[in-house]
Structure formats: C-alpha cells, structure tokens
C-alpha cells in the first residue's frame, strides 16, 4: 500500500510538471483558412470571408465584362458576379467543379475553383510575404501547411480590380 502511495505521488508530481510547462508555453495565434486548389496550386482564403461553397449553379453570361468574369449567378435571390480564378491569374480555362462565395468589402463575389480541399488553422506568424510580381499580384502571403503543401494566401479585395 505504501508502495502505491509513493508511485501516485511521483505520478502526481510529473503531471504537475507537465501542467506547469504547458502554462508557460506562449499561446499561438491562428486563423482559419479555407484551402482550395487551382491549376495545381493551393490557395487559402480567410474563413471569415467565406459565405458559401456551391456546386450546383447556372452562370448567366454578361456582355462587355473582362474575360475572367464568367457572368452572374442568382444565389437565394441575390445576384453575384462570378470570377474564374484561373483566368484571373492568367492561367488556361478549365471547367471548374465548384465555387466559393466570398464577402469582399460587403459585396458577394463567386470564385470558380478546381476543388475545395479543407479548412485549416494556420499560425499567423507562419504566413510570410511574397515578392511582388505581376503573376503574384493577388497573393498577399504564403505558408507551409501541416501536410507539407504550400498555401498561397489569396487577397480577395483584388479579385475585381485590374
């Protein structure tokens, strides 16, 4: 019995050491990102900007708009412009399988993507700035995801600006 009491004391002391250690660890600030793929690259959008993920939609063509604006959709009575992310980034057109509706400065915008992948918590200090160039004009940062892939942070405010 005395032997058991001694081992319980040792176990309690070790648990207390672990608790003390975890209390000393700095809290890591994270933000949720919706990860999607387009043309073989992984992009992320802050989850707070995402309104809907849509797979069944009919796009109405609009004349005299930039080629990357595929048209508009009617989503529960709201007319939303739809941007093909491939065309917007200067990549070849391909049939997109799903869309993401995002809130950009109070306006809803649909983004056609190849595939929605997952929702991930990303440590804010892991997002690094990217060198500015024409090809990366809509990417505001990048980081390595837990699965080893690189995520490019899409700057949604620039989707509709030339």
């Amino acid at each position: 019995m005395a032997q058991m009491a001694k081992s319980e004391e040792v176990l309690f002391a070790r648990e207390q050491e672990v608790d003390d250690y975890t209390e000393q660890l700095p809290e890591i600030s994270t933000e949720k990102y919706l990860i999607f793929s387009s043309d073989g690259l992984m992009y992320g959008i802050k989850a707070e900007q995402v309104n809907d993920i849509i797979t069944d939609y009919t796009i109405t063509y609009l004349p005299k708009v930039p080629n990357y604006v595929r048209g508009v959709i009617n989503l529960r009575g709201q007319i939303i412009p739809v941007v093909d992310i491939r065309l917007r980034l200067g990549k070849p057109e391909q049939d997109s399988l799903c869309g993401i509706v995002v809130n950009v400065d109070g306006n809803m915008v649909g983004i056609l993507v190849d595939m929605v992948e997952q929702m991930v918590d990303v440590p804010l200090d892991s997002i690094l700035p990217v060198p500015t160039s024409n090809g990366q004009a809509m990417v505001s940062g990048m980081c390595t995801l837990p699965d080893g892939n690189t995520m490019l942070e899409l700057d949604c405010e620039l989707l509709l600006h030339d």
Side-chain angles (χ1 to χ4, degrees):
M1 192 74 162
Q3 179 80 14
M4 188 167 206
K6 182 69 173 167
S7 16
E8 285 177 358
E9 285 177 27
V10 170
L11 183 59
F12 177 75
R14 287 188 180 157
E15 286 175 352
Q16 189 61 42
E17 287 174 10
V18 169
D19 288 345
D20 291 345
Y21 176 74
T22 55
E23 286 176 9
Q24 294 171 3
L25 291 175
E27 200 166 306
I28 298 173
S29 296
T30 63
E31 190 160 10
K32 286 199 178 300
Y33 279 80
L34 178 68
I35 309 299
F36 67 89
S37 61
S38 181
D39 196 39
L41 295 173
M42 304 294 271
Y43 292 90
I45 299 175
K46 291 179 183 178
E48 66 189 26
Q49 291 182 292
V50 176
N51 234 37
D52 278 299
I53 297 172
I54 54 175
T55 56
D56 186 25
Y57 51 86
T58 301
I59 298 176
T60 302
Y61 170 77
L62 291 176
K64 297 186 179 183
V65 294
N67 74 325
Y68 58 84
V69 178
R70 297 280 294 271
V72 294
I73 60 171
N74 183 336
L75 183 64
R76 294 183 290 278
Q78 187 174 4
I79 303 302
I80 299 172
V82 177
V83 173
D84 187 324
I85 194 71
R86 282 174 164 266
L87 294 176
R88 185 65 178 108
L89 294 172
K91 303 296 181 181
E93 184 176 357
Q94 178 177 312
D95 288 335
S96 297
L97 300 176
C98 70
I100 303 170
V101 178
V102 295
N103 185 333
V104 180
D105 295 329
N107 300 306
M108 297 300 161
V109 177
I111 306 170
L112 297 179
V113 302
D114 295 356
M115 185 183 326
V116 172
E117 300 287 338
Q118 61 186 327
M119 189 73 78
V120 176
D121 281 318
V122 175
L124 293 178
D125 62 356
S126 72
I127 299 175
L128 304 172
V130 291
T132 304
S133 69
N134 285 344
Q136 300 301 325
M138 282 188 269
V139 175
S140 58
M142 62 190 301
C143 72
T144 302
L145 297 172
D147 64 5
N149 285 316
T150 298
M151 175 196 85
L152 303 173
E153 181 182 22
L154 187 67
D155 189 341
C156 292
E157 279 98 38
L158 299 177
L159 279 175
L160 298 175
H161 301 127
D162 279 331

